[in-house]
Amino acid sequence: EKVIEYNQPQFIESDPIQIPHLFSKRQDIEIAGLLAATIAWGQRKTIVKNAKTIVELLDFAPYDFVINHSKEDLKKFENFVHRTFNGIDLAFFISSLKAIYNKHKSLEELFLPTDNELNLGPSIDRFRTTMFSAPHLPRSEKHISSPAKGSASKRLIMYLRWMVRPNNTGVDLGIWKDIPLEKLSCPLDVHSGNVARKLKLLKRKQNDWKAVNELDKALKKLDSKDPAKYDFALFGLGVFEGF
């Protein structure tokens, strides 16, 4: 009931998922979604506001900007800041994405799992390795977390949900068709983690990658084909109902 209640178009109004929804071209959606998810911590209003600023800085054409920008064009990001993510980090993301799109048609190619991988943790680490193969300052590395290092990788897990889950109710975008739905995980943060523990779906106290794996198993018992759909219920109960 809670999945259905929160997996509705009005969910978008206060959520950073509204940013990729501004676009119709596949690569624009991918880029806008990745950047919005990357800064998705803190107050949701501020996240949405700053994600819209990023889109404006990209001239409302993320893919065109990424592919055709020069070093000179990156100077416009100097004053951007969202918490610890600043203009240096944003410029790095743009230049790294250019190198990726010069080799790949879609970011989906970097996240494709192998058959024996139960979830997308290894895919996230492969994506991280590719992103950081471009020249960068060490400060930027904290903005793409690593499941292999124990992180719950909430923002990238959420991004993958946006890109992969079908657009049946107008919330998720469902533009990536080659990643199996059952390999998605639930984004684990303070809200979803606390609710999951109250519902006896999760015992582990830390919100880390081990907890993501534990929650995966519990949610797959409820729906083995689409475990990430419960993100709406867990998040909604925590944020909107204080469960």
Side-chain angles (χ1 to χ4, degrees):
E1 288 176 7
K2 289 299 176 183
V3 170
I4 294 167
E5 180 181 341
Y6 290 113
N7 189 13
Q8 297 293 337
Q10 57 263 34
F11 180 86
I12 294 174
E13 294 169 10
S14 61
D15 195 85
I17 197 175
Q18 66 184 265
I19 303 302
H21 271 287
L22 296 172
F23 302 96
S24 56
K25 184 176 179 177
R26 179 188 179 98
Q27 289 89 349
D28 285 340
I29 292 169
E30 292 178 350
I31 295 166
L34 177 65
L35 295 172
T38 298
I39 65 166
W41 84 102
Q43 288 190 328
R44 294 168 89 212
K45 281 185 180 178
T46 306
I47 295 165
V48 171
K49 174 177 167 286
N50 288 339
K52 285 180 177 175
T53 299
I54 291 176
V55 167
E56 289 171 13
L57 289 168
L58 297 176
D59 302 326
F60 295 98
Y63 181 67
D64 186 63
F65 189 97
V66 164
I67 286 297
N68 297 309
H69 78 272
S70 64
K71 281 190 176 180
E72 193 69 23
D73 295 324
L74 297 177
K75 288 183 178 178
K76 64 155 71 175
F77 301 132
E78 284 178 358
N79 295 323
F80 178 83
V81 61
H82 174 82
R83 297 174 77 96
T84 63
F85 186 90
N86 66 15
I88 294 169
D89 304 309
L90 181 54
F92 158 68
F93 267 68
I94 300 304
S95 58
S96 184
L97 286 170
K98 181 176 183 176
I100 288 170
Y101 278 112
N102 282 335
K103 296 179 181 177
H104 302 274
K105 287 184 177 180
S106 168
L107 296 184
E108 182 181 17
E109 295 171 33
L110 303 183
F111 286 101
L112 293 173
T114 62
D115 289 339
N116 65 334
E117 290 169 352
L118 296 176
N119 59 30
L120 297 175
S123 297
I124 290 172
D125 276 301
R126 287 192 289 270
F127 168 74
R128 188 177 191 273
T129 298
T130 304
M131 280 289 285
F132 289 124
S133 63
H136 65 280
L137 294 177
R139 60 157 289 116
S140 295
E141 293 188 8
K142 64 177 175 286
H143 296 298
I144 304 179
S145 52
S146 166
K149 294 180 180 178
S151 172
S153 298
K154 184 211 91 170
R155 286 169 282 169
L156 279 173
I157 289 289
M158 179 180 69
Y159 172 63
L160 288 163
R161 194 206 85 207
W162 293 355
M163 296 297 110
V164 175
R165 284 196 80 253
N167 183 14
N168 294 336
T169 64
V171 179
D172 290 314
L173 292 124
I175 61 168
W176 291 355
K177 309 296 185 185
D178 294 328
I179 294 176
L181 205 54
E182 61 265 26
K183 300 218 178 195
L184 292 176
S185 299
C186 178
L188 189 60
D189 63 7
V190 171
H191 304 292
S192 59
N194 287 345
V195 173
R197 290 180 188 95
K198 287 179 182 177
L199 294 175
K200 310 294 185 190
L201 296 169
L202 181 61
K203 290 181 180 178
R204 189 169 175 80
K205 291 182 170 62
Q206 301 100 308
N207 290 329
D208 57 10
W209 192 251
K210 287 183 179 178
V212 172
N213 284 320
E214 184 185 332
L215 186 57
D216 273 355
K217 291 176 184 176
L219 296 180
K220 283 179 180 178
K221 288 179 183 176
L222 300 175
D223 188 336
S224 62
K225 299 296 185 188
D226 187 14
K229 75 180 185 184
Y230 295 105
D231 179 29
F232 297 103
L234 297 176
F235 183 79
L237 280 166
V239 171
F240 301 115
E241 300 184 43
F243 179 82

